[in-house]
Amino acid sequence: MAGVVGRGLPAMGRPALLLLVMCAAGAQGLYFHIGETEKRCFIEEIPDETMVIGNYRTQMWDKQKEVFLPSTPGLGMHVEVKDPDGKVVLSRQYGSEGRFTFTSHTPGEHQICLHSNSTRMALFAGGKLRVHLDIQVGEHANNYPEIAAKDKLTELQLRARQLLDQVEQIQKEQDYQRYREERFRLTSESTNQRVLWWSIAQTVILILTGIWQMRHLKSFFEAKKLV
Amino acid sequence: MGRAALRSALLLLLLLLRAERLQGSELTFELPDNAKQCFHEEVEQGVKFSLDYQVITGGHYDVDCYVEDPVGNIIYKETKKQYDSFTYQAEVKGVYQFCFSNEFSTFSHKTVYFDFQVGDEPPILPDMGNKVTALTQMESACVTIHEALKTVIDSQTHYRLREAQDRARAEDLNSRVSYWSVGETIALFVVSFSQVLLLKSFFTEKRPVNRAIRS
């Protein structure tokens, strides 16, 4: 695309045009609506040493015009990321448009929570926010044009680099799979043990209670001179 | 100069119209009971999009889902599904919305995974897209490997979700075994003591009544 356009423009105009195209197409993506104090959480189950990049953009609902404003300065979103053990990895306040990054150090379910804490919204009763969100994990988080420019790679080298990144992601996922399977096996064995011991214990308790009942009643009836 | 500017403007317009960008979103979120959550995305006309979803934890592992086009027609609607895949070619340009509903459930909140892919994957470098010449053998080998690896990653994701579901069930079973065992033991003690007490009470109450009748 850029090669065809380049013939009609001077060389320095081309990257500017590309930038314009990319901006015009917009970081639209998926969006959802969120209430004033509502918190939305997303779960990412990822292996360790995996990078996660999240981009978001918020728009506020204008009650008078009944439309979403294109951009509202002063809106803030609080992003909180928790690792599988519940420890907070990232807890930061960003503006109405933001980008957050974190790298996992333990494999498992990471929780990414977003909520708006803008005080301005409290003035608009029943206000809602439109949040555009894009979360990229692992290999998808890599910015290939940037990597090509930084390491000065040819197209073929870049393709090879992409393949290497993909294979690395697959390896990490497989290691994580092994770890998960071990956890699953431990849980199953624990259930097995519990079922076994509790069954034995309950049978023993049942027999002992039966014996106690009979002895107690027998001594009771003997005292009453009915036996 | 004017003609060149006009040509570049026209090309820019064409660029924007042709912009079939991949907006692949893969998210896992928690759906509380009696709740509905909707997601929206803008899709161009003629672009194929696909929605895969799966319930990972919660209740009977089922959820309601529907997809609505910009005009308001429901193009897909399923109730109490555990997982499904839906592909559609957009006839109308606009914002498509898909919603997951847990309104039929009273106390189980669900974790739902969905993967919404729009269009084809864009090339990693912007100017790879419109090659005038054919790909070399190396390049086509790279493309083949890339597609194969994508399949591997997809099946890994599928396997991970299934395993998460099974693990959730196994952990649930583990804790339920404990609670029910303790509960049953307590019930056993309570029942045996009350049996004995009740029997004793039958034989202690009758005697004064009999004596009263005899005398």
Side-chain angles (χ1 to χ4, degrees):
Chain A
M1 283 187 283
V4 177
V5 174
R7 275 187 236 124
L9 280 175
M12 58 182 180
R14 199 189 344 156
L17 187 63
L18 258 173
L19 195 65
L20 184 65
V21 168
M22 283 179 183
C23 288
Q28 283 291 332
L30 195 76
Y31 66 82
F32 53 90
H33 297 132
I34 190 175
E36 287 175 33
T37 48
E38 212 182 310
K39 191 174 190 178
R40 270 305 164 87
C41 290
F42 298 94
I43 298 166
E44 285 296 333
E45 196 175 353
I46 46 179
D48 62 350
E49 307 307 323
T50 305
M51 187 158 78
V52 177
I53 294 179
N55 289 296
Y56 75 86
R57 188 164 71 91
T58 53
Q59 289 176 295
M60 193 147 91
W61 175 253
D62 187 339
K63 271 191 86 173
Q64 283 90 33
K65 292 184 213 160
E66 301 256 312
V67 83
F68 278 93
L69 302 169
S71 69
T72 318
L75 271 184
M77 284 291 265
H78 187 94
V79 177
E80 191 180 58
V81 179
K82 286 200 189 137
D83 76 350
D85 304 319
K87 206 173 60 149
V88 176
V89 171
L90 176 77
S91 176
R92 267 187 66 180
Q93 175 106 359
Y94 293 89
S96 69
E97 217 173 292
R99 179 192 165 98
F100 56 91
T101 311
F102 70 93
T103 307
S104 61
H105 297 293
T106 40
E109 279 187 9
H110 289 71
Q111 200 179 45
I112 301 166
C113 288
L114 297 157
H115 70 266
S116 163
N117 60 349
S118 173
T119 47
R120 264 182 61 181
M121 284 197 72
L123 298 171
F124 297 88
K128 56 182 184 187
L129 269 181
R130 175 177 287 180
V131 182
H132 299 257
L133 183 65
D134 179 41
I135 296 179
Q136 299 293 339
V137 173
E139 185 260 329
H140 297 288
N142 288 341
N143 186 353
Y144 287 104
E146 196 185 300
I147 292 172
K150 190 168 67 104
D151 297 341
K152 296 183 182 39
L153 299 173
T154 67
E155 202 179 292
L156 196 60
Q157 285 174 329
L158 192 67
R159 280 186 197 270
R161 173 68 84 89
Q162 190 189 28
L163 294 176
L164 284 172
D165 289 338
Q166 275 189 303
V167 168
E168 199 183 314
Q169 191 181 341
I170 289 171
Q171 276 182 311
K172 280 192 206 159
E173 185 77 30
Q174 286 191 324
D175 286 338
Y176 178 43
Q177 192 178 310
R178 198 178 288 203
Y179 162 84
R180 282 192 323 262
E181 192 272 338
E182 194 185 317
R183 261 187 62 189
F184 192 172
R185 198 166 13 100
L186 288 174
T187 307
S188 297
E189 283 178 2
S190 160
T191 307
N192 198 17
Q193 288 285 328
R194 283 187 195 186
V195 164
L196 178 69
W197 287 115
W198 274 108
S199 305
I200 292 173
Q202 280 188 352
T203 312
V204 166
I205 288 172
L206 189 64
I207 293 171
L208 288 176
T209 318
I211 292 171
W212 171 82
Q213 274 185 327
M214 290 301 112
R215 280 176 56 179
H216 190 81
L217 282 173
K218 188 173 170 199
S219 61
F220 172 72
F221 288 136
E222 278 171 352
K224 297 280 178 206
K225 301 200 172 48
L226 293 168
V227 174
Chain B
M1 179 60 199
R3 212 187 297 168
L6 185 67
R7 191 162 45 145
S8 52
L10 196 66
L11 283 163
L12 174 61
L13 187 66
L14 279 170
L15 259 167
L16 287 172
L17 288 174
R18 273 194 66 235
E20 261 190 39
R21 298 166 51 88
L22 173 81
Q23 282 149 13
S25 312
E26 195 182 39
L27 289 174
T28 311
F29 65 96
E30 209 173 272
L31 190 59
D33 47 301
N34 283 323
K36 183 171 87 159
Q37 279 187 14
C38 293
F39 296 88
H40 316 255
E41 184 144 355
E42 170 111 21
V43 182
E44 302 288 325
Q45 189 183 13
V47 171
K48 207 186 267 198
F49 66 83
S50 70
L51 172 70
D52 295 316
Y53 64 91
Q54 191 168 346
V55 184
I56 304 180
T57 63
H60 291 290
Y61 303 87
D62 51 3
V63 76
D64 293 347
C65 175
Y66 70 84
V67 181
E68 203 175 299
D69 72 358
V71 187
N73 302 326
I74 306 269
I75 49 182
Y76 169 85
K77 189 177 168 71
E78 286 286 347
T79 48
K80 302 203 175 178
K81 272 281 208 179
Q82 288 196 353
Y83 64 90
D84 205 3
S85 179
F86 169 67
T87 318
Y88 186 75
Q89 181 135 19
E91 287 156 14
V92 181
K93 171 189 148 84
V95 174
Y96 284 74
Q97 116 173 330
F98 55 98
C99 298
F100 298 98
S101 162
N102 196 20
E103 280 155 348
F104 57 86
S105 171
T106 39
F107 55 85
S108 52
H109 59 265
K110 310 254 161 84
T111 311
V112 180
Y113 160 90
F114 73 85
D115 183 14
F116 189 74
Q117 300 287 334
V118 179
D120 296 318
E121 190 187 356
I124 48 175
L125 277 181
D127 53 351
M128 270 192 207
N130 60 338
K131 282 239 155 196
V132 184
T133 58
L135 295 174
T136 65
Q137 273 199 325
M138 282 293 290
E139 283 170 352
S140 45
C142 282
V143 168
T144 314
I145 296 174
H146 179 64
E147 294 299 317
L149 289 179
K150 272 208 296 190
T151 315
V152 172
I153 291 176
D154 276 344
S155 75
Q156 273 191 330
T157 306
H158 177 78
Y159 183 74
R160 186 190 75 220
L161 293 173
R162 277 256 171 262
E163 190 269 343
Q165 198 181 34
D166 292 339
R167 190 163 27 92
R169 267 193 238 241
E171 284 172 359
D172 195 29
L173 182 68
N174 196 18
S175 52
R176 261 194 288 164
V177 162
S178 282
Y179 293 141
W180 277 99
S181 302
V182 169
E184 271 187 27
T185 312
I186 292 172
L188 196 62
F189 280 132
V190 166
V191 165
S192 50
F193 280 134
S194 44
Q195 270 183 330
V196 168
L197 284 174
L198 201 61
L199 268 174
K200 280 164 79 166
S201 73
F202 285 153
F203 289 97
T204 32
E205 268 173 11
K206 268 187 182 175
R207 277 175 65 229
V209 174
N210 284 338
R211 274 199 190 151
I213 291 170
R214 264 187 235 144
S215 60

